Amino acid sequence: MSGDEFPGPEEKAEGKSDAGPEVGPEVGPEGKRNGRGNSGANGREDDGSSGRGNGLGSAGGSEILALRFESHRARLRAVAHRMLGSLAEADDAVQEAWLRLSRADAGAVANLGGWLTTTVGRICLDMLRSRRTRREEPLDEPDVRLPEPVLAPVTGADPEQEALLADSVGLALLVVLETLSPAERLAFVLHDLFAVPFDEVATVLGRSPAATRQLASRARRRVQGGAPASDAGPDRQREVVDAFLAAARDGDFDGLVAVLDPDVVARTGAGVTTGAAAVASGAIAFGRLAAVGRPALVNGVVGVVGLMEGRVVSVLSFTVVHGRIAVIDIVREPGRLAGLDVTFLEG
């Protein structure tokens, strides 16, 4: 698993957009960053922090405000990760939301969870626009900007890793989200994934609710066409991935084709390879290093981590549909792999 996996076309020049404001320094209330919050599935409920007279804006209410912010941290981190595709940037966005809350009249906030969600969305929108101006914007297909993966052992994840997985979505979906414009991504993530009403999303975007609905609809069509969901359980996923690795190690072209969907898509940061024959050929070239591959959960689905001399050189995520591999997402950029915790793979 090296830089040779499934080579794609050369990268194209990226577009530009207006930059947003800088994200503030990392400060915030004490508490575990990856802790689970108490908000519901869509976080729209009143958590007891709504209305005036609750002391949030008073001089003695800072500790209460910090505790209530912490109850929303996990959900806010999930929103930011879906928006940005980076755990580090997601944490920065959440910390900036805390800064803004600490400077605001929190006692006047009628729904703290909703206020924080839209605030994080606005911060992420600014960060995505700034990313474009720094020429880090995701490229138009067939080139893609691969997000940072979230890793855990196939079995026996510890509570912190389980929390990370609970806050993650499949790598295939994150890859497609990276191809959307910042406005499309925000409309889809906030409305479709977190049930924020279009009127509130429109306020963040500075557009009409009707225009925001169109953005979300356009994003939805691209997601549905580019991010199939695995329909196999973990055991079946592991069987298919193991068969892929065995065929790659043996240079078994026919064996690879048998385990690949005829229209399989393999994506790297450099581009996209499609079709079972083309992907199998790339896998044969990669097979000389397949022996160093270790199984792991990658954003909640079975994948493979490539290790060389204790260093992560690639992460592969597989989407298994109808018993065959439909999508392979390959992360190999050193900057996106350097911070990964793979201690659970040792031994």
Side-chain angles (χ1 to χ4, degrees):
M1 297 175 192
S2 66
D4 300 326
E5 302 107 339
F6 315 119
E10 294 297 320
E11 294 187 354
K12 297 180 291 185
E14 300 176 46
K16 294 184 178 181
S17 177
D18 293 333
E22 292 291 326
V23 176
E26 181 174 318
V27 297
E30 295 296 326
K32 191 173 182 179
R33 284 185 140 192
N34 298 332
R36 303 291 296 158
N38 296 324
S39 59
N42 60 23
R44 308 304 303 164
E45 82 286 358
D46 186 348
D47 65 351
S49 60
S50 61
R52 296 178 181 272
N54 56 19
L56 292 183
S58 66
S62 59
E63 290 185 7
I64 295 175
L65 182 62
L67 288 172
R68 286 178 169 162
F69 178 85
E70 285 300 320
S71 75
H72 292 281
R73 182 184 286 275
R75 181 175 183 274
L76 297 176
R77 193 170 188 251
V79 171
H81 184 236
R82 286 154 174 77
M83 283 292 298
L84 301 169
S86 163
L87 290 173
E89 290 181 348
D91 286 335
D92 288 343
V94 172
Q95 292 302 115
E96 174 66 9
W98 163 251
L99 277 176
R100 295 188 185 187
L101 178 63
S102 66
R103 294 193 296 258
D105 180 7
V109 176
N111 181 339
L112 183 61
W115 188 93
L116 286 169
T117 298
T118 54
T119 296
V120 166
R122 188 173 287 112
I123 292 166
C124 292
L125 184 66
D126 291 338
M127 293 173 73
L128 288 174
R129 288 170 172 167
S130 179
R131 180 187 290 172
R132 281 191 167 196
T133 64
R134 297 195 307 271
R135 293 194 174 273
E136 296 176 8
E137 182 216 1
L139 302 176
D140 292 333
E141 293 180 353
D143 295 325
V144 292
R145 180 183 187 272
L146 292 172
E148 295 173 7
V150 177
L151 302 182
V154 175
T155 58
D158 64 30
E160 183 171 341
Q161 288 167 328
E162 289 178 353
L164 279 173
L165 290 177
D167 285 347
S168 72
V169 294
L171 199 60
L173 173 58
L174 284 175
V175 168
V176 176
L177 292 181
E178 293 284 354
T179 69
L180 304 178
S181 72
E184 288 172 339
R185 187 165 184 169
L186 182 117
F188 177 82
V189 168
L190 289 189
H191 181 266
D192 284 42
L193 300 185
F194 292 95
V196 177
F198 277 122
D199 287 351
E200 295 181 28
V201 182
T203 300
V204 176
L205 289 171
R207 306 194 186 195
S208 69
T212 302
R213 287 179 183 271
Q214 291 180 347
L215 285 171
S217 178
R218 188 160 62 240
R220 196 176 304 121
R221 288 194 297 271
R222 295 189 68 177
V223 168
Q224 291 171 347
S230 180
D231 61 6
D235 291 342
R236 180 56 178 155
Q237 290 177 34
R238 180 69 182 272
E239 291 175 4
V240 173
V241 171
D242 285 348
F244 172 86
L245 286 175
R249 289 166 182 156
D250 295 341
D252 182 359
F253 181 84
D254 291 337
L256 284 165
V257 170
V259 80
L260 296 170
D261 184 275
D263 299 317
V264 62
V265 175
R267 296 182 289 216
T268 72
V272 177
T273 303
T274 59
V279 173
S281 296
I284 293 291
F286 134 89
R288 60 189 174 84
L289 291 174
V292 301
R294 305 284 189 89
L297 288 181
V298 181
N299 288 62
V301 300
V302 175
V304 175
V305 176
L307 292 175
M308 293 185 65
E309 299 178 349
R311 181 174 57 91
V312 180
V313 294
S314 61
V315 174
L316 282 71
S317 173
F318 298 84
T319 301
V320 178
V321 179
H322 303 313
R324 293 188 173 188
I325 297 170
V327 180
I328 307 173
D329 290 302
I330 306 162
V331 182
R332 62 191 187 197
E333 293 82 1
R336 297 188 176 280
L337 301 175
L340 296 180
D341 177 12
V342 293
T343 56
F344 60 87
L345 295 176
E346 297 174 354

